[in-house]
Amino acid sequence: MTDREKQGTYTVISEQTDHGCTTVRAHPRNATYHIVDYPDEEARERVANLSAGSVVTLELSRAGRRSNVWRAESVSTTQTDGGISR
Protein backbone atom coordinates (compact mmCIF):
# COMPACT_ATOMS: atom_id res chain seq x y z
CA MET A 1 0.00 0.00 0.00
CA THR A 2 1.43 3.39 -0.93
CA ASP A 3 1.19 6.56 1.14
CA ARG A 4 -1.66 7.63 -1.13
CA GLU A 5 -3.76 4.58 -0.25
CA LYS A 6 -5.76 4.18 2.94
CA GLN A 7 -7.18 0.94 4.27
CA GLY A 8 -9.33 0.82 7.38
CA THR A 9 -12.71 1.07 9.01
CA TYR A 10 -15.04 3.90 8.07
CA THR A 11 -18.55 5.08 9.02
CA VAL A 12 -20.85 6.29 6.25
CA ILE A 13 -21.87 9.83 7.17
CA SER A 14 -23.52 10.80 3.89
CA GLU A 15 -25.24 8.27 1.61
CA GLN A 16 -24.33 8.09 -2.07
CA THR A 17 -25.63 11.05 -4.08
CA ASP A 18 -27.01 10.98 -7.61
CA HIS A 19 -23.46 11.81 -8.75
CA GLY A 20 -22.00 8.74 -7.01
CA CYS A 21 -20.35 10.58 -4.08
CA THR A 22 -20.41 9.00 -0.62
CA THR A 23 -18.80 10.62 2.42
CA VAL A 24 -17.21 8.44 5.10
CA ARG A 25 -15.39 9.11 8.36
CA ALA A 26 -12.30 7.12 9.34
CA HIS A 27 -11.86 5.35 12.69
CA PRO A 28 -10.28 6.50 14.99
CA ARG A 29 -8.88 9.60 13.24
CA ASN A 30 -12.28 11.12 12.35
CA ALA A 31 -10.92 12.33 9.00
CA THR A 32 -13.56 12.50 6.27
CA TYR A 33 -13.19 11.15 2.73
CA HIS A 34 -15.39 11.72 -0.31
CA ILE A 35 -15.62 8.55 -2.40
CA VAL A 36 -16.32 9.45 -6.03
CA ASP A 37 -14.83 6.57 -8.03
CA TYR A 38 -15.17 2.80 -8.01
CA PRO A 39 -13.28 -0.02 -9.75
CA ASP A 40 -16.51 -1.51 -11.11
CA GLU A 41 -20.30 -1.30 -10.98
CA GLU A 42 -20.51 -3.94 -8.24
CA ALA A 43 -18.39 -1.86 -5.86
CA ARG A 44 -20.42 1.26 -6.67
CA GLU A 45 -23.65 -0.62 -5.95
CA ARG A 46 -22.31 -2.00 -2.66
CA VAL A 47 -21.55 1.52 -1.49
CA ALA A 48 -24.86 2.83 -2.87
CA ASN A 49 -26.74 0.31 -0.73
CA LEU A 50 -25.15 1.60 2.49
CA SER A 51 -27.14 3.89 4.71
CA ALA A 52 -25.73 6.60 6.94
CA GLY A 53 -24.32 5.00 10.07
CA SER A 54 -23.13 1.84 8.32
CA VAL A 55 -19.59 0.74 9.18
CA VAL A 56 -17.42 -0.58 6.34
CA THR A 57 -13.88 -1.71 5.72
CA LEU A 58 -12.51 0.11 2.68
CA GLU A 59 -9.31 0.36 0.75
CA LEU A 60 -9.15 3.86 -0.71
CA SER A 61 -6.79 5.39 -3.25
CA ARG A 62 -6.63 8.99 -4.40
CA ALA A 63 -8.97 9.84 -7.26
CA GLY A 64 -7.66 13.37 -7.69
CA ARG A 65 -4.47 15.27 -7.07
CA ARG A 66 -5.55 18.26 -5.03
CA SER A 67 -8.90 17.59 -3.44
CA ASN A 68 -10.24 15.12 -0.93
CA VAL A 69 -11.70 12.68 -3.47
CA TRP A 70 -11.07 8.96 -3.31
CA ARG A 71 -11.64 5.70 -5.19
CA ALA A 72 -13.02 2.72 -3.24
CA GLU A 73 -10.70 -0.09 -4.36
CA SER A 74 -12.41 -2.64 -2.10
CA VAL A 75 -15.59 -2.56 -0.02
CA SER A 76 -16.50 -4.90 2.82
CA THR A 77 -19.54 -4.14 4.97
CA THR A 78 -18.88 -4.61 8.67
CA GLN A 79 -22.13 -3.37 10.19
CA THR A 80 -25.17 -1.56 8.86
CA ASP A 81 -27.61 0.64 10.71
CA GLY A 82 -30.01 -2.29 10.57
CA GLY A 83 -27.72 -4.92 11.98
CA ILE A 84 -24.76 -7.06 11.13
CA SER A 85 -22.46 -7.67 8.20
CA ARG A 86 -23.28 -8.72 4.67
Side-chain angles (χ1 to χ4, degrees):
M1 186 175 336
T2 70
D3 62 322
R4 294 174 9 133
E5 295 176 340
K6 307 224 181 261
Q7 184 172 13
T9 304
Y10 300 83
T11 299
V12 176
I13 59 173
S14 177
E15 296 173 12
Q16 193 174 88
T17 67
D18 292 340
H19 301 289
C21 179
T22 302
T23 304
V24 297
R25 183 176 43 237
H27 294 275
R29 299 179 312 275
N30 289 329
T32 57
Y33 299 89
H34 305 287
I35 302 170
V36 299
D37 194 21
Y38 307 88
D40 54 37
E41 185 62 22
E42 181 181 342
R44 190 194 70 72
E45 284 294 322
R46 287 184 70 136
V47 174
N49 289 329
L50 297 171
S51 57
S54 296
V55 177
V56 294
T57 300
L58 298 170
E59 181 179 342
L60 302 178
S61 64
R62 282 231 181 250
R65 292 185 196 192
R66 288 183 266 175
S67 71
N68 187 21
V69 292
W70 297 83
R71 174 182 167 103
E73 298 294 344
S74 67
V75 180
S76 175
T77 306
T78 304
Q79 182 178 1
T80 66
D81 66 343
I84 301 298
S85 62
R86 298 188 238 175

